[in-house]
Amino acid sequence: MDYLIYSIILIISGIAIYWIASSNKRKARKRQSIANIPFPAEWRKILRKNLPFFYKMPADLQLQLKDKMQIFLSEKQFIGRKGQGINDEVRVTIAAQACLLLLNRNTDFYPFLKTIVVYPAAFITRHAQVDHNGVKTQDARVLLGESWTRGQVVLSWRDSASGGADFDDGHNLVIHEFAHQLDGESGVTNGAPPLNKDQSYQEWSRILSGEFNRLQMQARTGAESFLDKYGATNPAEFFAVSSEVFFEKPEELKKYHLELFSQLKAYYQIDPAQW
């Protein structure tokens, strides 16, 4: 009887392993077939109109970004709120910026993300809070974007569009919120995303912790800083803010924060300073 049970367990385990492996292969084949579809001409017009940074990128990265956008858009659902319509302009403009973070990397296209919720502009969120006396209150905040571990990114369309149009100011809402999604792939959003196999978590922690502490000191004392002081809020926000600057002001980040730039370059596997 024990032998029979053990054999059944082995068979079930083998079936499960085969199903997972074959499922991954099916997913890869499906994604490749989507990437092989010609990129729509209308989408190219949107890139030219809304995302001028695209045409500064090397040709191979342009092609790669278009492939990743097609896969991303086939897998993620967009929902409009407060009268915000969802059309190709909204979807393509957001997808192009989100997929920048996936270039040259073996990723699973934000695997926990299912839905992108888009508001016309800034929106109000209300989160329940319980104080030390057990009293429940509603914390209302005005936000431009929000990244949830429960499979959602929430964005202001106005700020998503302006972030793509002005790619030199060091501020990009879409990059910021999708950096949080990458960060959360480790199971917790704490400024330490799953690193590439050739990266050291110890070195990552040493450099980013040092830079975070430095920014906190600058925020406390009112000293001038290159990085946005919102990054001093916590390590997760520091990673997101640093990612914005890495893509939009790479030469300056390299000049003023070389070690931080090098860590992000190793993580994102690209060098925007060369574009």
Side-chain angles (χ1 to χ4, degrees), residues 224-235:
E224 188 175 336
S225 64
F226 171 69
L227 296 170
D228 191 319
K229 290 175 182 173
Y230 184 65
T233 305
N234 57 52

Side-chain angles (χ1 to χ4, degrees), residues 153-195:
V153 164
V154 187
L155 298 168
S156 154
W157 165 238
R158 183 180 65 189
D159 295 276
S160 298
S162 64
D166 184 356
F167 213 71
D168 299 312
D169 64 354
H171 298 286
N172 186 290
L173 176 65
V174 177
I175 289 176
H176 185 104
E177 300 304 338
F178 278 85
H180 282 318
Q181 284 291 311
L182 294 177
D183 191 1
E185 289 181 14
S186 64
V188 58
T189 307
N190 61 359
L195 300 180

Side-chain angles (χ1 to χ4, degrees), residues 72 77-79 94 98 110 112-119 123 144-156 160 173-174 176-181:
F72 178 92
Q77 180 184 20
F78 283 72
I79 298 174
I94 291 172
Y110 305 106
F112 303 122
L113 175 66
K114 306 300 180 186
T115 308
I116 297 100
V117 178
V118 187
Y119 284 82
F123 53 92
L144 301 179
E146 197 170 33
S147 177
W148 297 6
T149 56
R150 298 188 301 277
Q152 250 186 29
V153 164
V154 187
L155 298 168
S156 154
S160 298
L173 176 65
V174 177
H176 185 104
E177 300 304 338
F178 278 85
H180 282 318
Q181 284 291 311

Side-chain angles (χ1 to χ4, degrees), residues 68-120:
K68 291 185 181 296
M69 286 172 60
Q70 292 191 112
I71 295 168
F72 178 92
L73 288 171
S74 74
E75 296 182 353
K76 311 305 179 185
Q77 180 184 20
F78 283 72
I79 298 174
R81 291 278 191 261
K82 297 294 184 180
Q84 174 61 50
I86 299 298
N87 54 23
D88 278 354
E89 181 175 19
V90 172
R91 296 170 72 247
V92 169
T93 300
I94 291 172
Q97 296 171 80
C99 290
L100 271 177
L101 282 64
L102 306 181
L103 294 173
N104 284 350
R105 304 199 306 118
N106 183 23
T107 67
D108 198 17
F109 290 84
Y110 305 106
F112 303 122
L113 175 66
K114 306 300 180 186
T115 308
I116 297 100
V117 178
V118 187
Y119 284 82

